[in-house]
Amino acid sequence: MTAMHAQLTRKEQSHARIVEVASRAIRRAGYRGVGVADIMKEAGLTHGGFYAHFASRDALLVQAMQHASGDNEAALLEAMARLIAKGHTRFSALVLAYLHDSHLQRAENGCVVAALASEMARQGDAVQEEAQRRVKHLVKFVRSTLPESTKPEEAEAITATLVGALQLARTLGGKAGNTLLAHTRKALLANQ
């Protein structure tokens, strides 16, 4: 149990566990792959206790996206810091970390936008609004790695390239997916 969890009430611990499980599940199986009963079971809780924590399934999905985004950003920053310490620029570190081959096999720990982009527009209002916030946050994060003189539309195009490359590489899988990631990394870093 982490120090943070030790300070939480039992209900807060359960709530955090549900959100954590759901954040992995949506990245692994998509929105439709998140059944309340399955999430509660994986969290070690009964299905009946769900509504003591969330007003609706959509409310859980919103919190799961927020949690997934925070987890992924922390992992990305950690990987980038290691690369920057080896002499990479902030942008090249982002490209190398985000498009790392390991992200083909670990969708449940990766970028929530890449995992769910094709489904985001077909969700209810609350989920769709949070999805839009996640996309805007990712664009802002990418922009923060670029020189200040970079035009906003360039950050958007780079973000789209990163997300799309990861989605396509996961679709291809195996050697073909790794090759697509390698080609995309090379193309993005060629102009740096």
Side-chain angles (χ1 to χ4, degrees), residues 79-138:
M80 287 172 61
R82 287 191 301 271
L83 290 163
I84 290 167
K86 293 179 181 179
H88 288 277
T89 66
R90 194 163 157 76
F91 177 69
S92 67
L94 168 68
V95 170
L96 295 171
Y98 190 93
L99 296 179
H100 194 275
D101 289 344
S102 66
H103 293 162
L104 294 181
Q105 289 79 35
R106 298 180 310 120
E108 68 276 2
N109 295 320
C111 177
V112 70
V113 174
L116 300 171
S118 65
E119 300 179 54
M120 288 175 165
R122 293 188 293 273
Q123 302 309 307
D125 290 345
V127 175
Q128 211 173 79
E129 288 169 12
E130 185 58 35
Q132 291 168 358
R133 281 191 287 276
R134 295 299 101 217
V135 170
K136 290 174 184 175
H137 182 79
L138 182 58

Side-chain angles (χ1 to χ4, degrees), residues 25 30-41 47 57 60:
Y31 293 115
R32 290 185 182 262
V34 179
V36 170
D38 293 333
I39 296 301
M40 295 300 283
K41 183 178 178 180
H47 178 246
R57 181 176 172 274
L60 169 62

